[in-house]
């Protein structure tokens, strides 16, 4: 969801002048291209970050805690006319939850609208998201490492969904689909608003689909203003038997001239054989499943960040759930690149399309991307694993090192902060509050990489955290619980067995692209370490053999080999479980979730994307032309989003 502060947001023309101050408040950094005001603004970030790091670098916790975040799309179902729309009643639903007296007596569940207290069984919490048709839910308190907690995850997810449904209209449903198949097509939202607002300036989406909190329209407008044109999201269309070829998106209007950015489509923004989208809402209107881990200390957090990084693309492919955009079948199965493009604020110079003149450097990736750094202080971390094209701000890095931070962690933050802050509130420029982390979070929270390393907040006792962000949300609570439990058990195996998943980080970036392919889970190969077990666990020795060449440490493998192979993830997880004292009943319950993951990897259970494609193929209104009708969209939402049954679990029935 990001940082939801209140204040007077600056338009990009003013925010740009103050971007350096946000990055640097507290350290004197001079740049020939920065004004004094700009230099002062950059000091905000550094002073807050160094204060956080110095205060919390020695913080210790007893054990790992974790939590999940699930995002829902709220839909309205019209059974009579076989129609489905997104409901823009996020605010009303959250208000209903907050006003529920029974829930309030139990401590409340909407932190944005009420004070939350925790006594006895903690209620789940609900939060706003970018889209007014979206909700986010989290457990009321963090999960612990006990195996009994793992068995509570699915019931808790079911409870959350039921609580949300109980505060919706009778024809509204909270569905865990990655995207709404008709987003941007005709009257897709209720109530209906026409496109062409001043913030998004989209041909297809109205401004009203975005959360009205000032952060969101400002974020969308400033991304567009910074890059000098609208975002360009071009997704390959799936070529079916009757799909015209070559194919040009028939929904694009080339004659609009209300805004300067309307010229984008006449200047090459629309690509042949690609679905064209032009607004942040097409990306940030997507739903996902995220897991956050609290480590016992900073070193454990850095280790988990590194070791989980190569797993990001694997879990993205396993959870593939996004085969449709804007009413067309896509030739991709996941959401990642579309979100990446929807918030890509890079200018032509930063993209490498123009010579550097005003920009400081060329930036290879969007601010929503695979991560580019390893950060652990691990002797197994070889220099060859690092990104040779990593861009860092050398002045900012030098100041962090001077402040006591080690080189590798300083490189990480100096890389994140090559980005400009996109939303700046005028009130925050007046005085630096060292009891807050607002300036640091301003940029940290808008670096949406597939892993996020999160320092402790300034105002509570939370520890160092790592966020695992790549997974697509699944239709059923059983599936979401299964993947959550699986990744949690992998972290336990990593720490127990000192596992080593390091590969060159550029290979992880390649894997993220491979995960987009249609049916990637079965058809693509992914670079992965051949044997993650350390030598001493195989041979009972502490000594290590000579270091082999990098390219001998990993190989291109199928998802099935990575998950189910002799050195596969499930073998490691089961070895960990066998090393613990677990009762038979608990082990059998966990095996049910792990068996599902195994079956997804070997093809026994199709991905959500494959299931959606199957519904489309069987729909009587589908003409094998890649076009999704309203009736077909209705079938998808009802059958996959509401009535799906996997592992004995089902969504809510209408």
């Amino acid at each position: 969801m990001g940082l939801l502060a209140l204040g007077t947001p600056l338009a990009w023309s003013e925010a740009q002048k103050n971007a350096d101050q946000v990055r640097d408040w507290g350290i004197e950094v001079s740049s020939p291209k920065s004004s004094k005001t700009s230099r002062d603004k950059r000091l905000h970030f550094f002073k807050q970050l160094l204060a956080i790091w110095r205060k919390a670098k020695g913080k210790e916790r007893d054990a790992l805690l974790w939590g999940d975040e699930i995002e829902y799309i709220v839909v309205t179902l019209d059974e009579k006319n076989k129609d489905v729309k997104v409901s823009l009643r996020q605010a009303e639903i959250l208000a209903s939850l907050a006003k529920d007296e029974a829930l309030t007596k139990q401590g409340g569940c909407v932190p944005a609208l009420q004070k939350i207290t925790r006594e006895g069984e903690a209620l789940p919490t609900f939060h706003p998201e970018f889209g007014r048709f979206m909700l986010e839910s989290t457990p009321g308190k963090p999960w612990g490492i006990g195996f009994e907690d793992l068995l509570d995850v699915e019931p808790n997810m079911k409870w959350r969904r039921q609580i949300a449904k109980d505060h919706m209209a009778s024809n509204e449903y909270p569905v865990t689909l990655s995207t709404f198949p008709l987003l941007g097509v005709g009257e897709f939202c209720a109530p209906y608003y026409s496109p062409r607002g001043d913030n998004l300036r989209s041909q297809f989406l109205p401004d009203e689909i975005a959360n009205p909190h000032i952060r969101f329209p400002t974020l969308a407008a400033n991304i567009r203003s910074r890059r000098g044109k609208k975002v360009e999201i071009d997704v390959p269309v799936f070529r079916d038997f009757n799909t015209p070829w070559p194919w040009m998106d028939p929904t694009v209007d080339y004659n609009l001239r209300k805004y300067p950015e309307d010229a984008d489509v006449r200047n090459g923004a629309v690509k042949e054989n690609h679905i064209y989208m032009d607004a942040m809402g097409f990306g940030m209107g997507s739903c996902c499943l995220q897991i956050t881990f609290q480590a016992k200390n900073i070193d454990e957090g850095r280790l988990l960040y590194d070791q989980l990084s190569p797993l990001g693309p694997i879990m993205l492919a396993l959870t593939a759930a996004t085969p449709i955009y804007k009413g067309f079948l896509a030739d991709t199965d996941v959401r990642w690149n579309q979100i990446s493009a929807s918030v890509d604020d890079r200018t032509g110079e930063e993209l490498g399309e123009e010579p550097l003149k005003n920009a400081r450097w060329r930036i290879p990736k969007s601010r929503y991307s695979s991560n580019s750094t390893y950060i652990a202080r691990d002797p197994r971390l070889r220099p060859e694993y690092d990104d040779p094209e990593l861009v860092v701000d050398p002045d900012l890095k030098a100041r962090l090192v001077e402040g006591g931070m080690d080189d590798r962690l300083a490189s990480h933050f100096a890389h994140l902060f090559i980005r400009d802050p996109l939303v700046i509130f005028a009130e925050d420029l007046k005085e630096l509050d060292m009891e807050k982390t607002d300036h640091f979070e301003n940029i940290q929270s808008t670096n949406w990489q597939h892993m996020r390393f999160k320092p402790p907040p300034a105002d509570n006792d939370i520890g160092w955290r790592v966020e695992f962000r790549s997974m697509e949300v699944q239709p059923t609570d059983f599936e979401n619980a299964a993947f959550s439990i699986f990744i949690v058990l992998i972290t336990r195996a990593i720490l127990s067995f000192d596992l080593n998943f390091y590969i060159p980080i550029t290979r992880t970036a390649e894997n993220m692209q491979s995960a987009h392919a249609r049916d990637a889970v079965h058809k693509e190969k992914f670079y992965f370490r051949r044997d993650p077990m350390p030598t001493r666990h195989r041979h009972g020795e502490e000594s290590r053999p000579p270091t082999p060449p990098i390219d001998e440490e990993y190989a291109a493998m199928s998802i099935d080999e990575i998950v189910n192979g002799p050195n596969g993830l499930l073998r490691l997880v089961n070895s960990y479980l066998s090393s613990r004292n677990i009762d038979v009943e608990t082990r059998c319950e966990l095996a049910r979730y792990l068996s599902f993951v195994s079956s997804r990897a070997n093809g026994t259970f199709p991905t959500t994307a494959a299931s959606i494609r199957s519904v489309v193929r069987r729909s009587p209104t589908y003409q094998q032309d890649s076009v999704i009708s309203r009736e077909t969209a209705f079938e998808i939402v009802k059958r996959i989003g509401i009535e799906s049954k996997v592992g004995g679990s089902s969504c809510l029935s209408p």
Side-chain angles (χ1 to χ4, degrees), residues 536-584:
R536 62 179 176 271
H537 288 292
R538 290 200 313 269
H539 304 295
E541 299 175 352
E542 289 295 332
S543 62
R544 300 181 185 273
T547 304
I550 289 288
D551 57 6
E552 292 183 9
E553 294 182 335
Y554 64 92
M557 306 180 197
S558 68
I559 295 289
D560 188 28
E561 291 173 310
I562 292 169
V563 174
N564 295 316
N567 294 317
L569 298 174
L570 276 175
R571 171 181 169 270
L572 298 170
V573 165
N574 281 315
S575 294
Y576 166 71
L577 292 174
S578 296
S579 72
R580 318 306 292 179
N581 184 21
I582 308 175
D583 65 86
V584 174

Side-chain angles (χ1 to χ4, degrees), residues 352-392:
E353 299 171 347
E354 305 167 15
L356 288 178
K357 182 179 178 181
N358 298 309
R360 291 176 290 172
W361 33 62
R362 188 182 72 82
I363 303 177
K365 298 178 182 178
S366 166
R367 61 199 302 151
Y368 197 113
S369 64
S370 60
N371 60 302
S372 298
T373 56
Y374 286 128
I375 63 174
R377 290 185 284 199
D378 190 330
R380 303 169 302 180
L381 177 48
R382 301 169 62 176
E384 296 95 325
Y385 299 148
D386 291 325
D387 185 351
E389 297 184 359
L390 182 70
V391 180
V392 301

Side-chain angles (χ1 to χ4, degrees), residues 140 165 205 209 248 314 369 471 531 533 555 563 588 605:
K165 172 59 182 146
L205 300 180
I209 64 108
M248 293 299 293
I314 311 308
S369 64
M471 291 188 289
D531 186 358
M533 288 292 284
V563 174
C588 288
F605 280 127

Side-chain angles (χ1 to χ4, degrees), residues 227 229-234 264 267-271 276-279 341-342 344:
R227 63 182 275 124
K229 55 185 177 181
K230 289 191 290 187
V231 295
E232 296 176 8
I233 311 168
D234 291 291
D264 292 353
N267 294 329
V270 185
K271 304 295 190 295
Y276 171 70
M277 293 164 284
D278 64 351
S342 78
D344 192 352

Side-chain angles (χ1 to χ4, degrees), residues 172-190:
E172 288 179 327
Y173 297 90
V175 298
T176 42
L177 293 175
S178 177
T179 58
F180 181 65
L182 296 182
L183 192 68
V185 181
E187 296 186 12
F188 70 91
C189 58

